[in-house]
Amino acid sequence: MNYETIPGYLIAESPIHHGGDEKNGNIATIRRISWLVDGQREEVPVISGNSIRGLLRRMIMSDMLDQVGYTLESTKLYHLLFAGGTLESVDSKDAGAINLARKKEIRETLPPLSLLGTAIGNQMIEGKMKCGIAIPVCRELAGSIPPVVDGVAAAQIGLSLHELQSEDFMTRKDDLHDDRGEDERAHQMIVHFETIVPGTVFYHSFTLQGATEVERAVLGRGIELWRKNPYVGGKGGTGYGKVRICYAMPAPDHDPYQTYLDEHKDEVVATLQDLEGRIGK
C-alpha cells in the first residue's frame, strides 16, 4: 500500500480563535494539547486536525452536489456526507444494510466518501486521508517540526509559544429600548477570548493511504476550495481565522477528479439516490 505525506504551513493573516473545551473565568480559551518538552509539560495552542478535516469535508461535499446537480432531501444522507454518518444496528435483510460488495461500489462511485470516510448502515468506510494537527512553529517544538522549507518559518523558530498568544474582547450592547423601564440603564457585556496572533506559522500535513489517482485529486480540489475561503476556527464572520495556505510541495492536481465527475455524473447521482432510498429521510 502506498503512502504519501503532503506537508505544509498555515500562516495566520488575522487573529485566530480556535475555541477550546474550557473557560478560564470569563475568558473563552483557545484549543490546546499537552506536550512534553524537555521533561516538562507544556500546553500548546493548536488547530485541530478534526477542524481542518471537517471544513474540507463540507466544502468537498457541497462542491460535488453542486457539480452533479443533486439536491439532498434526506437528513440522514446529509449527515452521512457532511458529518461522517452514524453506525446503525440493522438486520441483514433491512434496506439499510450494506454488504461488502455494495461498500466497494460506493467507494468507487463516490471518491469523496472513499477519501474522507463515513458510516453507512452497518458498515464503516474508513477514509484514506489522515489530517494532521496544525502545531505552531516555536522554540519549544523545534525538535518536533520537520526542517523548515524555503525558510518560511525560520524567523519564528526562535520564539516561545507564549509569545504567539494574545487576548481580545468584544462588547454586546442591549439595544432593546422598548423593553426597559425609564430608569433602567442599558446592559453591556464584554466578552474576552484568547487568540493566536497574526503572523504565526503552523506546521501541518495530510497523509494519503492507498489513495487512487481520483481520490488524491479530491484532496487537491478540497485544498483549492479552501484557498478560496481560507479560514479556520471561530469568528470568521468578523475577520478572525484567515490563513495563508502554503504547502512544501504542490497540492495534488484536481483535474482527474473533475474529469471523473464530468464522465460519471449519472452514476454519482444514481448512487446518491440509492443511498437516500436505503437509509431514509
Side-chain angles (χ1 to χ4, degrees):
M1 183 178 292
N2 63 307
Y3 292 84
E4 178 185 10
T5 297
I6 301 168
Y9 294 94
L10 304 177
I11 304 174
E13 294 192 329
S14 68
I16 294 176
H17 176 71
H18 182 35
D21 299 321
E22 298 179 357
K23 273 193 149 188
N24 182 12
N26 66 339
I27 300 176
T29 60
I30 52 177
R31 179 66 54 86
R32 293 181 174 86
I33 60 173
S34 297
W35 203 294
L36 288 179
V37 179
D38 297 329
Q40 299 293 319
R41 178 169 160 168
E42 292 279 2
E43 297 301 317
V44 179
V46 298
I47 301 170
S48 71
N50 187 56
S51 173
I52 295 171
R53 185 188 187 91
L55 66 87
L56 283 181
R57 177 188 283 274
R58 292 188 291 275
M59 291 178 184
I60 289 169
M61 295 304 177
S62 292
D63 177 68
M64 178 186 71
L65 295 174
D66 287 345
Q67 290 208 50
V68 302
Y70 192 82
T71 301
L72 289 177
E73 296 182 1
S74 166
T75 302
K76 286 187 176 181
L77 184 56
Y78 178 91
H79 186 68
L80 184 154
L81 295 175
F82 287 83
T86 303
L87 276 178
E88 297 178 346
S89 177
V90 294
D91 187 89
S92 59
K93 299 178 182 179
D94 192 291
I98 303 292
N99 60 33
L100 294 179
R102 185 61 178 140
K103 180 177 176 180
K104 181 174 182 291
E105 183 181 343
I106 292 169
R107 269 198 185 278
E108 293 173 349
T109 310
L110 301 178
L113 276 187
S114 187
L115 180 75
L116 296 166
T118 194
I120 304 176
N122 60 336
Q123 292 285 338
M124 283 290 298
I125 295 180
E126 182 181 0
K128 295 185 179 181
M129 184 190 83
K130 312 298 182 187
C131 186
I133 297 171
I135 60 174
V137 175
C138 58
R139 184 170 65 242
E140 289 85 351
L141 304 185
S144 303
I145 296 172
V148 175
V149 179
D150 297 330
V152 67
Q156 191 174 301
I157 201 71
L159 295 179
S160 167
L161 63 88
H162 302 288
E163 297 177 82
L164 309 178
Q165 302 171 60
S166 187
E167 186 179 311
D168 208 339
F169 71 94
M170 62 183 292
T171 58
R172 293 181 178 175
K173 293 183 179 180
D174 171 18
D175 294 323
L176 300 177
H177 303 287
D178 293 340
D179 294 338
R180 291 200 308 268
E182 292 184 5
D183 298 329
E184 187 179 355
R185 299 178 60 184
H187 298 287
Q188 179 170 300
M189 181 174 65
I190 299 178
V191 180
H192 294 266
F193 51 93
E194 294 180 328
T195 62
I196 299 166
V197 301
T200 297
V201 180
F202 291 84
Y203 173 77
H204 177 254
S205 67
F206 297 103
T207 298
L208 298 176
Q209 177 181 334
T212 66
E213 180 185 36
V214 173
E215 291 162 353
R216 187 177 185 273
V218 173
L219 175 58
R221 177 59 174 164
I223 293 173
E224 177 186 37
L225 292 168
W226 190 16
R227 286 193 170 121
K228 294 178 180 179
N229 185 29
Y231 290 84
V232 295
K235 303 187 182 298
T238 53
Y240 289 81
K242 187 176 182 181
V243 292
R244 192 184 332 151
I245 301 165
C246 309
Y247 284 92
M249 59 184 289
D253 183 5
H254 75 274
D255 284 346
Y257 174 54
Q258 187 63 58
T259 299
Y260 175 84
L261 288 181
D262 292 340
E263 295 178 352
H264 299 270
K265 174 181 175 180
D266 292 343
E267 296 171 43
V268 172
V269 170
T271 300
L272 291 170
Q273 289 173 335
D274 178 72
L275 285 172
E276 203 157 26
R278 283 174 178 267
I279 64 179
K281 300 296 184 179

